[in-house]
Amino acid sequence: MKLDTSGLESFSTLTAPGDDVVGEFSAPPSFQLPNSNDFDGFVKEAIQMVKPAKGTTTLAFIFKDGVIVAADSRASMGGYIYSVKKIIEINPYMLGTMAGGAADCQFWHRNLGIKCRLHELANKRRISVTGASKLLANILYSYRGMGLSVGTMIAGWDETGPSLYYVDSEGGRLKGTRFSVGSGSPYAYGVLDNGYRYDLSVEEAVELGRRAIYHATFRDGASGGVVSVYHVGPEGWKKWTGDDVGDLHYQYYPVVPSTVEQEMVEATGA
Amino acid sequence: MECVFGLVGNGFAIVVADTSAVHSILVHKSNEDKIMVLDSHKLIAASGEPGDRVQFTEYIQKNVALYQFRNGIPLTTAAAANFTRGELATALRKNPYFVNVLLAGYDKETGPSLYYIDYIATMHKVDKGAFGYGSYFSLSMMDRHYHSGMSVEEAIDLVDKCIMEIRSRLVVAPPNFVIKIVDKDGARQYAWRESVKDAPVPSA
């Protein structure tokens, strides 16, 4: 499969002065490979370094009023814990979620946003979510086996209504109505599947997304931080909540002072 | 694991595939259609790595369509199968596709045919074939009950027997299957066999 290096194209090569032979093309764009004796080992190590990075919980689901996209914010590197924005705004009516390598997700989502805008300018109409997800899937497929780590969902509202696609760096692309990605996804699926109905109201759907992420962060050590929930409607996306999971825990399960069953008293006498 | 199987009957060929899209222990989707309609009278049922499966079958589909546009006549099933095998073989030593394919088609001159093409570009023209863990159960079922010139009812009955066997004996049996048929009237979906239904979405 030919590598799709369009994301790395520098436009200066197109305007470079031509050589003496008309019709000779300048060298195709490429990136430098690292100087190492054992390139395969290097790639393996790179993949292993990024592997734990899919420590996250993201989810998205379609319902009658659009798409809900929710994610935690924990990113960990070794012993450090950060908070990262995991819902990426590709354009005003499409969102992408981040799971895997943060740099990979951010770069390729930004690149996708550029391609979508170029499509709009060239075709005088917005790109569909199907098209956008296929663009991303094809790019990721051409880099298969090279250590990219991306597990993303593309959610948006286009002419056909709300759409949701799951795209990953192994080249898979699935169209669906409910997805959850990341190390905490099995936990989130449980709460999500159980509480899901197509005819939820927007408030109920936002609450379902928030609850599902909260439960995943409770059980999964690699997820936590702040739950962000976005809603994509016909007019575009809107951020609804950004709650810390610690606060959510005491909101859902407030501390109830328990009655003392047995009280210890001082022993009287010897 | 993915179960794909198929057989040739009297004037038709049937292919069956499971419909689960799985990622380690998670089932992302249980209604993923893995049988692609290659052209009006051909079906390609594929199993393997998710990215490879879709990319490879779409590539074959587009090239088959290109041939028809360029030459005005469609490829025969044998030609399409050999083309598919050739593409797998060429890529094998460089950038292999991990896709196993059952290609079923109907030609006016030669009738129905089924081709078994695995990921290392082995190709056989067969009456019945299967891939995946499900093949351990469906192949012997088909060997036992198959005879040449089966009617559609008999074939569907055999397919259901195989699905029952897979469901009851395979430890991670996929819940849902899709059945597609190709005969002189073309390639089309025949039925779904669902035991797990997703939350109903009212159609627009």
Side-chain angles (χ1 to χ4, degrees):
Chain A
M1 295 232 78
K2 189 162 178 285
L3 208 67
D4 177 4
T5 51
S6 56
L8 301 152
E9 253 159 24
S10 72
F11 292 97
S12 60
T13 56
L14 297 173
T15 56
D19 275 335
D20 35 51
V21 179
V22 174
E24 203 181 283
F25 298 103
S26 52
S30 64
F31 51 88
Q32 281 175 318
L33 293 174
N35 288 329
S36 97
N37 297 327
D38 176 22
F39 183 64
D40 283 328
F42 172 79
V43 172
K44 278 203 180 83
E45 265 183 72
I47 295 172
Q48 286 309 317
M49 188 190 83
V50 190
K51 255 211 164 90
K54 277 203 184 137
T56 182
T57 313
T58 60
L59 64 86
F61 60 92
I62 294 181
F63 68 115
K64 76 171 183 345
D65 289 325
V67 199
I68 294 288
V69 182
D72 75 315
S73 71
R74 177 167 291 180
S76 44
M77 196 152 83
Y80 261 120
I81 294 181
Y82 305 84
S83 203
V84 178
K85 195 154 170 279
K86 292 191 187 172
I87 298 182
I88 300 158
E89 297 143 10
I90 299 170
N91 61 39
Y93 57 97
M94 250 199 280
L95 292 174
T97 59
M98 181 199 299
D104 289 337
C105 289
Q106 277 176 2
F107 179 85
W108 290 109
H109 277 122
R110 188 69 188 263
N111 182 266
L112 179 65
I114 295 170
K115 287 215 161 86
C116 292
R117 180 71 184 134
L118 285 171
H119 176 100
E120 263 180 51
L121 293 168
N123 299 87
K124 275 194 165 163
R125 54 186 274 177
R126 282 181 178 169
I127 192 172
S128 62
V129 183
T130 313
S133 60
K134 190 72 175 170
L135 275 176
L136 183 63
N138 284 341
I139 292 172
L140 293 177
Y141 183 72
S142 65
Y143 286 101
R144 234 169 67 91
M146 297 203 170
L148 282 186
S149 172
V150 172
T152 183
M153 295 178 284
I154 307 290
W157 188 298
D158 59 27
E159 284 163 3
T160 62
S163 274
L164 177 61
Y165 283 86
Y166 163 76
V167 179
D168 70 22
S169 48
E170 275 87 64
R173 172 174 168 268
L174 297 172
K175 182 174 163 67
T177 47
R178 291 203 296 286
F179 286 117
S180 177
V181 182
S183 58
S185 59
Y187 305 111
Y189 264 125
V191 177
L192 178 59
D193 286 337
N194 189 245
Y196 175 81
R197 276 181 351 261
Y198 182 76
D199 53 3
L200 290 166
S201 71
V202 179
E203 288 77 19
E204 287 175 325
V206 166
E207 179 54 28
L208 177 63
R210 192 163 61 161
R211 196 76 191 242
I213 297 283
Y214 156 74
H215 280 285
T217 60
F218 185 70
R219 286 292 180 181
D220 178 30
S223 305
V226 167
V227 182
S228 314
V229 183
Y230 284 64
H231 168 241
V232 187
E235 313 300 316
W237 56 259
K238 175 170 173 258
K239 180 162 181 177
W240 270 72
T241 65
D243 302 295
D244 184 276
V245 290
D247 296 336
L248 279 181
H249 173 79
Y250 292 108
Q251 197 183 309
Y252 291 135
Y253 302 104
V255 178
V256 174
S258 50
T259 53
V260 177
E261 285 171 2
Q262 280 184 339
E263 217 175 295
M264 277 203 355
V265 285
E266 274 195 31
T268 48
Chain B
M1 216 213 115
E2 307 191 330
C3 304
V4 175
F5 61 95
L7 56 111
V8 174
N10 186 15
F12 67 93
I14 272 191
V15 272
V16 184
D18 77 291
T19 58
S20 319
V22 165
H23 192 94
S24 87
I25 59 163
L26 260 186
V27 177
H28 272 305
K29 214 180 159 196
S30 38
N31 56 359
E32 168 81 352
D33 189 352
K34 296 179 190 167
I35 306 181
M36 179 178 279
V37 174
L38 209 57
D39 72 11
S40 62
H41 286 75
K42 290 185 201 40
L43 289 171
I44 190 164
S47 75
E49 293 245 3
D52 282 346
R53 174 171 61 77
V54 172
Q55 293 280 353
F56 182 70
T57 53
E58 282 186 0
Y59 174 69
I60 299 297
Q61 186 192 51
K62 301 315 172 202
N63 273 287
V64 166
L66 182 62
Y67 181 93
Q68 179 161 356
F69 287 136
R70 278 191 177 144
N71 300 289
I73 51 163
L75 278 169
T76 60
T77 312
N82 276 287
F83 171 69
T84 307
R85 192 210 85 87
E87 289 303 309
L88 282 169
T90 313
L92 182 63
R93 303 275 182 197
K94 286 182 213 146
N95 194 5
Y97 296 105
F98 289 103
V99 201
N100 298 311
V101 157
L102 273 181
L103 203 153
Y106 184 91
D107 304 303
K108 253 198 331 219
E109 299 81 23
T110 52
S113 47
L114 182 66
Y115 287 86
Y116 169 106
I117 307 168
D118 79 5
Y119 72 104
I120 35 178
T122 316
M123 187 178 81
H124 291 290
K125 182 172 186 304
V126 292
D127 288 329
K128 47 190 155 46
F131 284 113
Y133 284 131
S135 69
Y136 289 97
F137 309 102
S138 51
L139 277 173
S140 57
M141 285 301 269
M142 289 195 286
D143 286 339
R144 169 70 183 82
H145 291 107
Y146 179 86
H147 58 88
S148 64
M150 290 172 84
S151 69
V152 180
E153 291 73 29
E154 287 176 316
I156 291 296
D157 197 55
L158 177 51
V159 159
D160 280 328
K161 279 199 178 74
C162 293
I163 292 177
M164 278 303 121
E165 194 57 22
I166 292 172
R167 274 199 186 134
S168 52
R169 287 294 185 184
L170 184 55
V171 64
V172 269
N176 301 336
F177 289 84
V178 66
I179 304 174
K180 291 199 178 174
I181 190 172
V182 58
D183 61 14
K184 64 174 176 20
D185 300 322
R188 59 194 181 280
Q189 186 178 293
Y190 184 87
W192 281 76
R193 296 285 185 252
E194 284 174 316
S195 62
V196 165
K197 266 202 155 79
D198 204 0
V201 174
S203 43

